[in-house]
Amino acid sequence: MTKAGSKGGNLRDKLDGNELDLSLSDLNEVPVKELAALPKATILDLSCNKLTTLPSDFCGLTHLVKLDLSKNKLRQLPADFGRLVNLQHLDLLNNRLVTLPVSFAQLKSLKWLDLKDNPLDPVLAKVAGDCLDEKQCKQCANKVLQHMKAVQAEQERERQRRLETDREAEKKWEAKQRAKEAQERELRKREKAEEKERRRKEYDALKAAKREQEKKPKKETNQAPKSKAGSRPRKPPPRKHTRSWAVLKLLLLLLLCVAGGLVACRVTELQQQPLCTSVNTIYDNAVRGLRSHDILQWVLQTDSQQ
């Protein structure tokens, strides 16, 4: 059988004033819901059963003042056992408890405690001592509460140290991240400045090249007015008389050649040679032609036509 109701009827039938005796009921679990419906049962006896654990909702039975869990098989108490703040008398004799939950320190109303015949941790066992009479059991309650408060305080300090360590680690990580972000910003800033400088140089180079291109035609245009403002260059001779001048030059050259030949043929001993005879004949013909003004008239006519 697992519940009191199956052996002794309804729990209300077992209620005697404010006492509810469920001992020797062959229980392997606690009927928490039925107990919660009996707030008048401030004294609960669950001794001599087969309980190995207590459910977490058992700690909601805050109306309990006296609780007997002796001679069961409990290996541990619920972590929030300290919620039973009205508990004054607690019997845990002959179980299999090694430690107590830290919340045990919250049982400020506890006046009597028995932890005999449990495989307690040596430190806890030394603190608890014996509970052979009323006085020793009261001392056990007081000493265990003080010990559990110290354990709770130490755990709280340890928790605070861990929190502080975690905060320090987080601060270091955040500082490292900030430094990394600052380096990245500085790198981006430097790259941006280098890119800007490169573009500025390219822009200056393009402007300089453009100015050079603009200077070349200006130099050519500036040179033309200089030549006008300075010494005036000679005007090329009008193309109108180019042909006549060429003809005259040719005639002069021819005349020089003829004159040279005439001198050679008339003055020297070569005048008797057949060639000089021909030259002298040509000379005589030329003189006659000049006298008749045929050549001059032809030159003048040519100039007037041009």
Side-chain angles (χ1 to χ4, degrees), residues 79-171:
D80 53 352
F81 193 81
R83 290 172 59 192
L84 301 174
V85 292
N86 293 314
L87 196 61
Q88 299 178 15
H89 184 107
L90 178 61
D91 193 344
L92 292 170
L93 171 73
N94 195 9
N95 276 278
R96 300 179 182 178
L97 297 172
V98 177
T99 60
L100 297 175
V102 177
S103 64
F104 200 91
Q106 299 173 10
L107 301 177
K108 297 180 180 180
S109 300
L110 190 64
K111 305 298 182 183
W112 192 97
L113 176 63
D114 189 357
L115 286 172
K116 291 192 307 296
D117 299 331
N118 279 283
L120 295 174
D121 175 81
V123 176
L124 180 60
K126 184 177 180 180
V127 171
D130 294 326
C131 183
L132 302 176
D133 54 29
E134 187 77 10
K135 182 179 179 181
Q136 288 182 345
C137 291
K138 287 182 177 181
Q139 289 177 348
C140 176
N142 183 51
K143 290 179 180 180
V144 169
L145 281 179
Q146 295 298 323
H147 172 72
M148 295 309 298
K149 286 179 181 179
V151 171
Q152 185 181 44
E154 180 60 28
Q155 288 191 358
E156 179 63 22
R157 285 192 295 270
E158 182 62 24
R159 189 181 71 85
Q160 291 295 331
R161 281 194 294 269
R162 286 197 301 268
L163 288 175
E164 186 66 23
T165 302
D166 292 342
R167 281 195 292 267
E168 290 296 326
E170 185 177 0
K171 286 180 181 179

Side-chain angles (χ1 to χ4, degrees), residues 40-301:
K40 290 183 180 180
T42 59
I43 300 174
L44 176 62
D45 188 353
L46 289 169
S47 63
C48 302
N49 282 292
K50 298 178 181 180
L51 301 176
T52 57
T53 59
L54 297 177
S56 59
D57 54 353
F58 180 85
C59 302
L61 304 176
T62 56
H63 59 278
L64 293 177
V65 174
K66 183 177 181 180
L67 177 62
D68 190 349
L69 290 168
S70 62
K71 299 181 181 179
N72 278 282
K73 299 178 181 180
L74 296 173
R75 295 181 179 276
Q76 61 181 9
L77 299 179
D80 53 352
F81 193 81
R83 290 172 59 192
L84 301 174
V85 292
N86 293 314
L87 196 61
Q88 299 178 15
H89 184 107
L90 178 61
D91 193 344
L92 292 170
L93 171 73
N94 195 9
N95 276 278
R96 300 179 182 178
L97 297 172
V98 177
T99 60
L100 297 175
V102 177
S103 64
F104 200 91
Q106 299 173 10
L107 301 177
K108 297 180 180 180
S109 300
L110 190 64
K111 305 298 182 183
W112 192 97
L113 176 63
D114 189 357
L115 286 172
K116 291 192 307 296
D117 299 331
N118 279 283
L120 295 174
D121 175 81
V123 176
L124 180 60
K126 184 177 180 180
V127 171
D130 294 326
C131 183
L132 302 176
D133 54 29
E134 187 77 10
K135 182 179 179 181
Q136 288 182 345
C137 291
K138 287 182 177 181
Q139 289 177 348
C140 176
N142 183 51
K143 290 179 180 180
V144 169
L145 281 179
Q146 295 298 323
H147 172 72
M148 295 309 298
K149 286 179 181 179
V151 171
Q152 185 181 44
E154 180 60 28
Q155 288 191 358
E156 179 63 22
R157 285 192 295 270
E158 182 62 24
R159 189 181 71 85
Q160 291 295 331
R161 281 194 294 269
R162 286 197 301 268
L163 288 175
E164 186 66 23
T165 302
D166 292 342
R167 281 195 292 267
E168 290 296 326
E170 185 177 0
K171 286 180 181 179
K172 289 180 180 179
W173 183 84
E174 289 177 353
K176 187 176 180 180
Q177 286 296 112
R178 286 194 296 270
K180 183 179 178 181
E181 290 173 359
Q183 289 178 354
E184 291 176 353
R185 285 195 301 270
E186 185 64 25
L187 180 60
R188 288 194 297 269
K189 185 178 179 181
R190 186 163 57 250
E191 289 176 351
K192 187 176 180 181
E194 290 175 355
E195 178 64 16
K196 185 176 180 181
E197 181 65 18
R198 184 185 64 79
R199 292 173 61 186
R200 187 187 65 79
K201 288 181 179 179
E202 290 179 355
Y203 175 79
D204 292 343
L206 288 174
K207 293 288 288 183
K210 188 175 180 181
R211 284 195 297 269
E212 288 296 326
Q213 290 178 356
E214 290 175 352
K215 283 180 181 179
K216 288 181 180 179
K218 283 184 179 180
K219 286 180 179 180
E220 293 176 358
T221 53
N222 289 337
Q223 286 176 359
K226 275 187 180 181
S227 60
K228 289 181 181 179
S231 59
R232 293 183 180 179
R234 293 183 180 180
K235 292 183 180 180
R239 297 177 60 85
K240 187 174 180 181
H241 303 293
T242 303
R243 187 176 177 183
S244 60
W245 281 109
V247 172
L248 288 176
K249 289 178 179 180
L250 183 59
L251 288 175
L252 288 173
L253 182 59
L254 181 59
L255 288 175
L256 287 173
C257 292
V258 171
L262 284 174
V263 171
C265 289
R266 288 184 176 273
V267 176
T268 65
E269 296 178 353
L270 296 174
Q271 58 184 345
Q272 300 299 327
Q273 298 296 327
L275 181 58
C276 286
T277 302
S278 298
V279 171
N280 289 331
T281 303
I282 292 170
Y283 172 74
D284 293 336
N285 291 333
V287 170
R288 284 196 299 270
L290 288 172
R291 287 177 180 174
S292 60
H293 302 289
D294 290 338
I295 295 174
L296 291 176
Q297 289 178 2
W298 177 76
V299 171
L300 292 174
Q301 289 175 0

